[in-house]
Amino acid sequence: MSARRLLPVVTIAAILVAPLVASEYALTILTYIGLSSIVALSLVLLTGKGGLSSFGQAAYVGIGAYISAWFTLNTALSPWQTLPLIVIVVAIGAWFGALITVRLSGHYLPLATIAFAVAMYFVFGGSDFIGGMTGLSDLPRLTIFGFELHTAAHSYLLVWIVLLAFMWGVRNILDSRVGRAIRALRGGVLMAESMGVDTIKAKVQIFVIACVMAAITGWLYAHFQRFVSPAAFSLNQGIEYLFMAVIGGAASIWGAIVGAGLITSLKQVLQDTLPALIGTTGNFETVAFGVIIIVLFHVAPEGLVAAVQRKLGWTALPGRLRPPDAALPTRERAAPGAAMLEVAGATKAFGGVVANHDIGLTLHAGEILALIGPNGAGKSTFFNLVTGVVPADAGTFAFHGTAVAHLAPRTVAALGVGRTFQHVRLLPDMSAIENVAIGAHRRGRKGLFAALFRLDRDEEARLFDEARRQLERVGLGTHLWSEAGALALGQQRILEIARALALDPNVLLLDEPAAGLRYKEKQDLAALLRELRAEGLAILLVEHDMDFVMKLADRVVVMEFGETIAEGTPAEVQADARVREAYLGGAE
Ligand code: ADP
Ligand code: MG
């Protein structure tokens, strides 16, 4: 086993034997680090993977802590009975909160979480029944099968075992169909929706999971510390949790422990040593703490774990492919010649620019239709109207006989339309095969719970086998585990085609697939498209390269200034006087 694969095993072993060697003081600090690590881990999922920044995690820790504190002090409920209560209350609350806030774009979500954190702090501090600013004390200790966890080692072990379980769970979730959707949230929302992924659902899911994790931390915290007060759940603490996640490396599960460990011990050390060094008790540790954090951001902006991995040259390890028990279900192929896409009267204006005016075309199964025209003619706009990326001002759109009034990328994908993007949209730090597996998202069913407990392995094997098959088909079989961002531009374009094919489409829409490809790559692409046509796919090709188009297309539609100026076979179009003048002639 390589040092690299051994490292997590050694770390886990060290965590479990620590109580044998560490002092009580050290174990207490380590328990706090473990608690913070769980919250930081929730932010790895929410912020690092999902791109949703929250300053409100401390408030959720507080909610968990206060619910358990109040109920165990005022009712006959034991902590183990308040735990499911916390999970249910927080899950429902977070779900409602997520429905409202998760659609907020840009800075509004972080601002909403700040407002929530501030509000909750005043609720905690201003409510007499939970002790106001003094809080609640004399909370019961946790017991396990009647055994009271009364030493520092007991609490330490419980907290760290819970942390390790959460790390296992988060890792399982990320390495799944749902997890790929989550990982697409940061920068890949349009792409994911175009592959049929419900990204709002993915956002709500991680929001709920992260809040429940924070609340469970609060529960552990309350019964470990045995008293709760508002100070521990302030906005400041929420910011600190976010620091931990970001400094450790918000994209890495281990980053949570590294960040929590570093910041907790740093604060402890500064508090212990700085006043003695300087000779006064000011708030110098806060200033020093701030300076150190700023330095860390400069030294390792992507987080310490990633920085160290880069230093050591640790790139992603290739995964293992399991042979599938069966193939994925496939869509019924349309009869050759069937009308797969019928557009009439498509019109779109951007301010004064009419980018598409009354465009109509029909695309049949088993044909390649090319849409050509000079730059700015309106080809991409047409593409965006058909794929639901941009709403049309007017026009009708029917897919395989089904008229769709309100197109959206996800509905178009569900209708069996696979697409690529003029400007490549891949998840650069994900492997090629995982990127392609996103294309097959709708061909899988397994959700969050299956992923959490790894009950999705059979389906994952099928999804990955399909992704592998498509990558081999487009000629990227030797790059399965390469990071998509490390591939050459031409390969990235081809990768997008494999991803679109993984959707098992009836219709394939390609926006300038040959752009940036070398001669040989173009020839391979043409051969692939001919093969797909022979299989009965309907292919709409928006392309700039005339030579490529004329040899390949069955029919050509020519656009200029947002209008169709000619339509016919390549020979007819090339002979058209208006086309020659407006487009071909101009290029010569
Ligand atoms: P093509 O793909 O044929 O090069 P486009 O469809 O990208 O052409 O653009 C057609 C026209 O519409 C251009 O004048 C372009 O500037 C304009 N346009 C396209 N998208 C937008 C947009 N989102 N906002 C404003 N103008 C746009
Ligand atoms: Mg374009």
Side-chain angles (χ1 to χ4, degrees):
M1 231 201 234
S2 69
R4 210 176 144 183
R5 295 212 191 249
L6 217 52
L7 188 60
V9 181
V10 172
T11 310
I12 292 169
I15 288 169
L16 295 177
V17 301
L20 300 176
V21 290
S23 69
E24 193 156 320
Y25 174 75
L27 285 175
T28 304
I29 301 272
L30 284 169
T31 305
Y32 280 113
I33 291 175
L35 289 167
S36 296
S37 297
I38 302 175
V39 186
L41 180 64
S42 78
L43 287 168
V44 165
L45 183 67
L46 191 65
T47 310
K49 299 294 179 181
L52 305 177
S53 309
S54 171
F55 294 92
Q57 289 307 87
Y60 281 98
V61 177
I63 291 171
Y66 270 108
I67 291 178
S68 202
W70 191 86
F71 276 96
T72 50
L73 289 177
N74 293 287
T75 70
L77 293 184
S78 76
W80 290 105
Q81 289 164 328
T82 60
L83 182 60
L85 183 73
I86 290 168
V87 170
I88 292 166
V89 168
V90 171
I92 294 174
W95 185 70
F96 272 113
L99 285 184
I100 302 166
T101 52
V102 137
R103 283 167 211 268
L104 300 177
S105 56
H107 300 303
Y108 292 106
L109 175 69
L111 285 177
T113 64
I114 288 174
F116 177 72
V118 171
M120 285 312 297
Y121 180 73
F122 285 110
V123 169
F124 295 144
S127 306
D128 289 335
F129 78 102
I130 47 171
M133 293 309 288
T134 356
L136 298 169
S137 47
D138 291 326
L139 308 185
R141 286 198 176 99
L142 289 176
T143 55
I144 292 180
F145 300 119
F147 175 80
E148 198 177 88
L149 304 181
H150 63 278
T151 69
H154 294 156
S155 299
Y156 163 85
L157 276 177
L158 176 69
V159 166
W160 280 79
I161 287 169
V162 171
L163 169 61
L164 288 174
F166 273 125
M167 287 170 69
W168 182 74
V170 168
R171 195 202 63 143
N172 290 351
I173 288 173
L174 290 173
D175 175 28
S176 75
R177 175 175 169 272
V178 177
R180 288 186 291 277
I182 291 167
R183 289 151 77 193
L185 294 175
R186 253 183 68 210
V189 170
L190 173 60
M191 177 280 288
E193 287 279 334
S194 298
M195 299 302 133
V197 175
D198 185 345
T199 56
I200 294 288
K201 183 175 166 188
K203 286 183 183 178
V204 171
Q205 283 176 330
I206 53 172
F207 199 81
V208 171
I209 297 172
C211 292
V212 168
M213 283 174 69
I216 292 175
T217 310
W219 173 82
L220 286 166
Y221 175 90
H223 297 288
F224 157 64
Q225 187 165 274
R226 303 186 61 202
F227 94 94
V228 290
S229 72
F233 315 121
S234 63
L235 175 61
N236 275 352
Q237 189 57 44
I239 293 172
E240 214 167 282
Y241 286 136
L242 205 52
F243 273 155
M244 291 174 184
V246 173
I247 282 186
S252 148
I253 286 172
W254 292 96
I257 298 187
V258 172
L262 195 79
I263 291 203
T264 308
S265 29
L266 189 65
K267 274 183 69 176
Q268 200 64 38
V269 168
L270 288 175
Q271 263 168 27
D272 291 352
T273 60
L274 219 53
L277 264 171
I278 300 176
T280 73
T281 51
N283 275 329
F284 292 109
E285 65 267 17
T286 314
V287 178
F289 180 69
V291 170
I292 291 174
I293 285 189
I294 291 169
V295 170
L296 279 174
F297 277 144
H298 273 277
V299 176
E302 77 277 53
L304 286 173
V305 170
V308 170
Q309 282 177 335
R310 193 163 34 79
K311 262 260 172 337
L312 296 174
W314 286 6
T315 49
L317 289 169
R320 271 179 289 252
L321 288 177
R322 252 191 341 122
D325 53 352
L328 287 177
T330 54
R331 214 179 290 277
E332 209 177 307
R333 280 269 170 272
M340 299 307 296
L341 168 65
E342 294 162 275
V343 182
T347 298
K348 179 74 194 179
F350 294 107
V353 181
V354 181
N356 272 196
H357 178 246
D358 196 20
I359 308 288
L361 59 76
T362 303
L363 175 66
H364 304 95
E367 95 172 324
I368 298 178
L369 175 62
L371 186 59
I372 66 167
N375 256 330
K379 307 182 296 292
S380 290
T381 301
F382 180 78
F383 206 100
N384 286 336
L385 297 185
V386 171
T387 47
V389 174
V390 168
D393 297 338
T396 59
F397 302 84
F399 295 86
H400 202 176
T402 311
V404 186
H406 296 287
L407 287 176
R410 188 145 44 89
T411 46
V412 173
L415 290 164
V417 179
R419 67 161 297 179
T420 64
F421 296 87
Q422 181 177 352
H423 304 288
V424 173
R425 286 175 191 262
L426 293 166
L427 300 171
D429 45 16
M430 224 151 106
S431 65
I433 195 167
E434 285 176 301
N435 268 281
V436 175
I438 291 179
H441 187 81
R442 289 192 74 96
R443 299 170 74 188
R445 287 281 163 275
K446 298 289 183 200
L448 205 54
F449 282 95
L452 182 57
F453 298 107
R454 270 182 132 51
L455 305 171
D456 59 347
R457 291 299 101 186
D458 286 343
E459 185 180 276
E460 284 289 286
R462 281 176 235 146
L463 289 170
F464 274 81
D465 190 60
E466 174 69 5
R468 175 195 56 78
R469 223 165 52 81
Q470 299 301 349
L471 275 168
E472 281 172 1
R473 164 163 223 189
V474 301
L476 289 173
T478 54
H479 292 284
L480 300 184
W481 300 102
S482 310
E483 278 185 10
L487 296 176
L489 180 64
Q491 292 175 316
Q492 295 190 5
R493 285 198 174 284
I494 304 291
L495 179 59
E496 284 215 330
I497 296 178
R499 186 178 63 198
L501 290 175
L503 195 132
D504 185 30
N506 268 325
V507 176
L508 194 57
L509 306 179
L510 308 174
D511 198 352
E512 305 211 10
L517 261 58
R518 281 171 291 183
Y519 182 69
K520 172 74 170 63
E521 289 173 325
K522 281 187 189 179
Q523 280 186 319
D524 291 346
L525 175 61
L528 173 68
L529 295 182
R530 285 195 185 97
E531 208 180 291
L532 294 170
R533 168 173 63 189
E535 285 174 21
L537 255 72
I539 303 174
L540 179 71
L541 190 66
V542 168
E543 193 39 76
H544 222 69
D545 185 330
M546 294 302 297
D547 194 45
F548 181 78
V549 163
M550 292 304 172
K551 282 182 191 148
L552 189 64
D554 301 295
R555 283 189 305 135
V556 181
V557 171
V558 188
M559 287 182 72
E560 197 194 17
F561 300 126
E563 311 232 4
T564 308
I565 58 167
E567 180 173 357
T569 63
E572 285 165 1
V573 163
Q574 275 171 307
D576 187 289
R578 206 170 153 200
V579 175
R580 291 182 77 89
E581 185 198 340
Y583 184 63
L584 301 172
E588 272 162 19

